[in-house]
Amino acid sequence: MSQISLTFPDGNSRNYDKGVTPAEVAESISKSLSKKAISAIVDGKHWDMQWPIAADSSIAINTLADDEAALELIRHDLAHIMARAVQEIWPDVKVTIGPVIDNGWYYDFDRAEPFTPEDLGAIEKKMKEIINKRDPVTTEIWERDRAVKYYEANNEPYKVELIEAIPGDEPLRMYWHGHWQDLCRGPHLQHTGQVPADAFKLMSVAGAYWRGDSDRAMLQRIYGVAFQNKEKLRAYLNMLEEAAKRDHRKLGREMDLFHMQEEAPGQIFWHPNGWRIYTTLQDYMRRQQTKGGYVEVNTPQVVDRKLWEASGHWDKYQEHMFIVEVDEEHAREKAVNALKPMNCPCHVQIFNQGLKSYRNLPLRMAEFGSCNRYEPSGALHGIMRVRGFTQDDAHIFCREDQIEDETRRFIDFLSEIYRDLGFEDFKVKFSDRPETRAGSDDVWDKSENALKAATTAAGCEFELNPGEGAFYGPKLEFVLTDAIGRDWQCGTLQVDFVLPERLDATYIGADGGKHRPVMLHRAVLGSFERFIGILIEEHAGKLPFWLAPRQVVVASIVSEADEYVHEVVDALTTAGVRAEADIRNEKINFKVREHSLGKVPVILAIGHREVEDRTVTVRRLGEKQTSVTSLTEIVSALAKEATPPDLL
RNA sequence: GCUGCUGUAGCUCAGAGGUAGAGCACUCCCUUGGUAAGGGAGAGGUCGAGAGUUCAAUUCUCUCCAGCAGCACCA
C-alpha cells in the first residue's frame, strides 16, 4: 500500500498508509491523545476522526480544549442527540435540519402537537441519558437511491427533499449516533460521551418555515445553547440576564422616555425625556447635514396612489401601506391616497420642478421624513421596528461618474457621526440584486459594480449579503447590534437607476441635451426611533452627557437650601445645561437612589455647607465618590460637557 | 402574516367557578435627614375586548385586540 506524509503543527512529519484516519494517527501518537481527540484539521479543513486521508497533508488533532473546533462539534452533536431524543420520546416526529448557530444550535421538527416547556425538560433528560451511554458515532457514504429509499421507508419526506437538493456529484454522508441515523455533512465527535452533559440548555421553541419559505409548512424549532463546561454556560446565561436589563423597552419605562399602547400599535408616544433625546439628535443631524452640503426639504404625508403606481411601490408594497380613502366633493369615485411609506418619490417631484442643469449636480436633498408603513404585526419590536417613524433620509441626484465620490463622501460622513454617537465598530453589508426587481440586468450590473467599486475605493470592508438588495438597486447596509446581539440595519446607501427613469427625472448636460440623473438613497441613523433604541441599549441607558435627557438634578438636603438650589438650576439652565431641582421632602439617600435609577449623569447635592460656601457637591452616576466644587466652576465645566461633539 | 406563549392597580407580580391581593409608585400627615429606599395613614382595578357554557365567569370555551420569542417580511 502506498504511503502519504502527514505534517504536524510542530513541523515534524511522519509517513502513514494512504487512507489512514485521524483516529489511527492519534492512536499512533499516544493512547491518551486518541481518547481525548475530537476531530482534526487536515489541510485547513475540519476533519472527522473517521474520515480517511488520501494525500500528503498537514494535520492537527483537536481536543475539547480547542475552542473553535470543540464548540462546533459539541453543538453539532447536540443537535443530533436532541433529534434522537425527540424521536425516542415521540417516534412519529419527522426530522428536518439542525445547524449550529451562535452560542448553540437549533433543530426543526414536524410534529402535530406543539412542544411544551415541560417537553423541553423531558428532552433534556433524555439527551443526558444518551450522552451517558457514550454511544459511538459512526459514518458511511451512501448511494443516493439507497438513501432516498431508506428515508421514504422511514416516512421522512423532508430528508428526501434535502437529498434531492444536494448536487448529484456530491457524496451523501450518513451518521449514526448509536442506533439513530441522520444525513449529515459532518464532522462529528467520536462518541456521544464527549459532549459535556452539564454545559447545555434547551432555551425555547418557536415556529419556523420549512426552507425559510412562508408558503411552506410551519415547523417547530427548538433552540439550545452549549459550551465546553458548566461555568461557560452559566456565564452565558448570566450575560443574557444582564442584557435583558439593557432592553430599551424596559429602560424606556424606567427613564420615562416613551410609551406605546394598544390604540396605536407600532407607534410611539414620546414623553418629555425621550423627546429631548430625539430633538437633541435631530439638531445634531441637521447641523451635520448642513455642513455636509445637503439642502433640507419637507414633503406631503398623504399622496395620491398615482404617484406610488408610477414609482412602482404600489405594485410591490400596497399591502404594507396605510391607505386613505376620501370622498372628494364633485368626484364620482373615492380618491385613494396612501400615507407616504418613504420619501423618494416626493423628492423626485421637487427635483422635477424647473429644469436642472448638470451644474446643479450633485444635488443632496435631505428630509427628516415622517413615514408610515403597515408593518406585519409579528415584525413590530419596541421602538426599533414600528409603523410610524422618521428617517434621516436624503437623496443625492448625481451623474454616473459622481457615484464613487459621493459614496466615499457618505461613508466618511456616516463614520464621523457614528463615532460621535459612540459606535466605533459597525458591520457593513453589501446586498445585491433580489429575485423580484425593477430594471434590466444591464442596469443592475452597472449599479452593483459602481457601488462595490466606490465602497472598496473608500477603504470600507463589507460582507456580502446576496439577494437582499432593494427592488430598485443594490444597497450598502450599516448594521448595529442590540443588547442581546440582534442585528439592525441603521445606515444605508442605495444606488438607483430605476426611479429617475420611472418618474422621469432629467437634467440638462454640458452638451445641452437631456440626461438621467442617478439617485443615491441614503440614511445615516436610518430612523430616529430605531437608532434611539439602539443608543439606549448600547449605553444601558447611561447616555453620553450631551444626549442625556436630564443632565443634572440639583437636590436639596435641607429645605433651607431650596432658594440656592433654584439659583444653581437657573445658572445651569442659562449656560445651556438641562438641569432640574429636587427639593422634595425626602432624604438625600432617597434622591440619590431615585435619580441614579433614572440614569441622571450628575447629581448636585446642596446642604447648609454648600449654601454658605456657594459650592455644590458633585456625584457622578455610577461613582460613590463625591467632590466639592464652586458654583462658577461647575457651571462652566458642565456647560462644556453639554456641548454636542460637533460644536466642540 | 405564521407557530407558540402571555394579558389582574401606574410598575413588578400573587390568586381562585361564588364579582380581588402584595410590594413599589401615588395623595396626606409626621420627620430637615449628608450620598442607592425614614415612619404612619389613605386612595386606587368593568381582572385586554366581545360572545358562549353555567344559578353564578375575572377564572372554563370560542372569536378578536395587544404584547413577548422565533420564522417570514423590512421600499
Side-chain angles (χ1 to χ4, degrees):
Chain A
M1 188 179 277
S2 63
Q3 296 257 300
I4 57 169
S5 164
L6 296 183
T7 309
F8 295 95
D10 62 7
N12 292 325
S13 51
R14 261 167 86 166
N15 288 337
Y16 289 92
D17 288 342
K18 187 176 171 190
V20 69
T21 66
E24 289 156 358
V25 174
E27 181 81 33
S28 77
I29 295 169
S30 82
K31 194 91 194 159
S32 70
L33 180 64
S34 84
K35 264 186 152 170
K36 278 199 305 194
I38 54 170
S39 65
I41 305 292
V42 175
D43 275 351
K45 200 171 166 257
H46 204 179
W47 206 266
D48 196 286
M49 294 301 281
Q50 305 170 58
W51 294 349
I53 303 168
D56 291 355
S57 312
S58 68
I59 183 169
I61 306 284
N62 297 319
T63 68
L64 278 182
D66 295 295
D67 279 1
E68 213 174 302
L71 282 173
E72 190 190 324
L73 291 177
I74 289 168
R75 290 164 182 168
H76 195 178
D77 281 85
L78 276 164
H80 283 237
I81 291 168
M82 181 170 81
R84 171 176 159 187
V86 165
Q87 287 200 315
E88 283 185 12
I89 303 173
W90 301 279
D92 56 323
V93 171
K94 294 180 183 49
V95 291
T96 66
I97 52 163
V100 171
I101 53 173
D102 283 353
N103 303 307
W105 80 92
Y106 67 75
Y107 205 111
D108 288 348
F109 300 96
D110 185 5
R111 179 189 180 218
E113 298 290 305
F115 289 112
T116 65
E118 295 76 55
D119 290 342
L120 291 192
I123 296 167
E124 233 172 66
K125 194 164 156 243
K126 178 67 82 180
M127 289 169 72
K128 288 185 178 163
E129 285 171 28
I130 294 169
I131 292 169
N132 288 331
K133 280 186 186 158
R134 304 172 69 82
D135 276 336
V137 176
T138 54
T139 180
E140 281 176 13
I141 289 174
W142 277 19
E143 293 298 318
R144 295 178 90 77
D145 286 357
R146 183 183 173 197
V148 168
K149 278 198 191 107
Y150 176 87
Y151 281 123
E152 278 171 350
N154 282 289
N155 193 23
E156 295 283 11
Y158 297 98
K159 290 289 176 191
V160 173
E161 197 178 326
L162 284 176
I163 291 171
E164 280 158 3
I166 295 175
D169 51 346
E170 248 180 67
L172 297 181
R173 189 171 278 284
M174 293 296 181
Y175 266 92
W176 284 260
H177 282 65
H179 63 82
W180 190 82
Q181 182 274 358
D182 200 358
L183 170 75
C184 183
R185 215 177 264 127
H188 277 286
L189 296 166
Q190 300 204 74
H191 60 85
T192 62
Q194 285 186 319
V195 174
D198 57 357
F200 75 93
K201 184 170 160 50
L202 302 188
M203 301 295 281
S204 60
V205 193
Y209 296 109
W210 170 235
R211 313 221 98 190
D213 183 343
S214 59
D215 291 330
R216 307 196 62 175
M218 172 68 64
L219 307 169
Q220 294 188 66
R221 174 172 299 178
I222 302 180
Y223 285 91
V225 295
F227 297 88
Q228 280 138 309
N229 55 52
K230 199 163 56 180
E231 287 68 38
K232 286 186 180 168
L233 173 66
R234 198 177 309 134
Y236 174 75
L237 296 176
N238 231 330
M239 187 281 288
L240 281 188
E241 254 174 63
E242 287 304 311
K245 293 181 189 160
R246 301 209 307 268
D247 191 310
H248 75 281
R249 293 165 296 189
K250 186 175 155 69
L251 286 167
R253 206 180 309 112
E254 289 172 2
M255 296 170 68
D256 195 16
L257 302 178
F258 57 82
H259 86 273
M260 303 174 88
Q261 62 186 51
E262 263 192 50
E263 289 80 356
Q267 302 192 78
I268 305 169
F269 293 79
W270 286 103
H271 296 11
N273 285 343
W275 193 243
R276 243 171 260 149
I277 301 176
Y278 187 111
T279 52
T280 304
L281 197 55
Q282 190 178 47
D283 292 346
Y284 165 81
M285 285 307 297
R286 181 170 278 134
R287 289 192 302 272
Q288 289 288 19
Q289 279 178 0
T290 304
K291 216 162 67 181
Y294 290 83
V295 289
E296 187 174 327
V297 299
N298 195 265
T299 58
Q301 291 299 317
V302 181
V303 178
D304 195 289
R305 68 183 269 182
K306 286 198 284 278
L307 184 60
W308 307 116
E309 282 169 350
S311 70
H313 290 91
W314 188 262
D315 239 17
K316 189 159 164 43
Y317 290 111
Q318 195 188 143
E319 301 281 290
H320 300 288
M321 286 158 89
F322 282 99
I323 309 293
V324 185
E325 291 193 0
V326 185
D327 283 308
E328 287 192 341
E329 276 184 279
H330 313 303
R332 283 209 201 105
E333 295 176 1
K334 279 181 191 291
V336 179
N337 305 283
L339 293 187
K340 74 170 166 185
M342 17 73 73
N343 311 297
C344 17
C346 290
H347 288 186
V348 177
Q349 304 314 303
I350 294 181
F351 183 87
N352 284 355
Q353 291 301 111
L355 283 183
K356 293 289 178 297
S357 145
Y358 71 97
R359 295 176 199 277
N360 295 121
L361 306 184
L363 175 58
R364 307 186 191 95
M365 192 185 290
E367 176 174 5
F368 295 119
S370 179
C371 296
N372 290 274
R373 295 179 185 173
Y374 187 74
E375 300 283 18
S377 55
L380 302 178
H381 180 88
I383 65 171
M384 306 252 229
R385 183 81 184 269
V386 286
R387 289 182 176 156
F389 56 94
T390 303
Q391 297 175 320
D392 65 318
D393 200 7
H395 296 92
I396 301 171
F397 296 86
C398 64
R399 298 189 313 258
E400 225 175 299
D401 62 286
Q402 291 171 320
I403 294 175
E404 182 174 327
D405 240 24
E406 287 302 313
T407 299
R408 189 189 320 226
R409 209 181 146 106
F410 175 70
I411 291 171
D412 288 347
F413 184 72
L414 176 139
S415 305
E416 185 190 328
I417 291 168
Y418 277 23
R419 217 175 305 121
D420 277 355
L421 295 170
F423 298 97
E424 295 288 339
D425 312 302
F426 44 87
K427 237 186 273 180
V428 183
K429 295 183 186 172
F430 181 90
S431 301
D432 59 17
R433 67 192 77 187
E435 262 179 52
T436 46
R437 55 181 181 263
S440 69
D441 284 354
D442 286 351
V443 165
W444 274 91
D445 287 341
K446 197 159 70 173
S447 319
E448 285 172 359
N449 292 337
L451 183 58
K452 202 176 284 182
T455 308
T456 308
C460 179
E461 282 177 29
F462 55 83
E463 51 184 89
L464 281 174
N465 199 17
E468 297 295 321
F471 76 91
Y472 49 70
K475 68 176 178 180
L476 223 43
E477 297 177 43
F478 299 86
V479 174
L480 297 174
T481 307
D482 73 8
I484 65 166
R486 288 178 287 219
D487 278 354
W488 295 91
Q489 179 196 305
C490 291
T492 183
L493 173 67
Q494 304 164 12
V495 179
D496 184 0
F497 286 88
V498 175
L499 204 59
E501 175 88 41
R502 283 180 171 254
L503 298 179
D504 196 26
T506 56
Y507 67 91
I508 309 297
D511 58 2
K514 273 191 177 182
H515 299 272
R516 275 284 168 239
V518 182
M519 265 175 99
L520 304 179
H521 306 240
R522 43 108 292 170
V524 177
L525 307 180
S527 88
F528 282 90
E529 291 76 5
R530 174 175 296 179
F531 200 88
I532 290 171
I534 293 275
L535 208 51
I536 292 167
E537 300 205 354
E538 171 77 10
H539 295 285
K542 298 173 194 162
L543 296 174
F545 195 82
W546 71 279
L547 277 171
R550 296 190 299 155
Q551 294 171 322
V552 179
V553 168
V554 186
S556 60
I557 296 170
V558 293
S559 46
E560 279 96 339
D562 290 359
E563 202 182 317
Y564 180 58
V565 165
H566 283 122
E567 192 187 331
V568 175
V569 169
D570 288 347
L572 287 166
T573 307
T574 307
V577 178
R578 292 188 284 272
E580 287 174 19
D582 183 357
I583 56 168
R584 289 175 303 168
N585 176 15
E586 295 292 351
K587 294 197 170 185
I588 192 65
N589 284 321
F590 182 90
K591 295 183 184 180
V592 165
R593 176 180 155 81
E594 195 176 272
H595 300 307
S596 297
L597 289 173
K599 311 283 190 265
V600 176
V602 170
I603 298 171
L604 301 181
I606 311 288
H608 288 299
R609 290 202 296 269
E610 289 80 3
V611 175
E612 207 140 297
D613 306 342
R614 294 191 62 77
T615 55
V616 297
T617 297
V618 186
R619 189 191 205 277
R620 297 260 170 187
L621 181 59
E623 290 176 16
K624 283 252 173 346
Q625 211 81 30
T626 60
S627 63
V628 180
T629 315
S630 77
L631 175 57
T632 46
E633 261 176 68
I634 196 71
V635 169
S636 71
L638 291 177
K640 184 159 184 249
E641 220 173 310
T643 308
D646 62 307
L647 297 178
L648 282 175

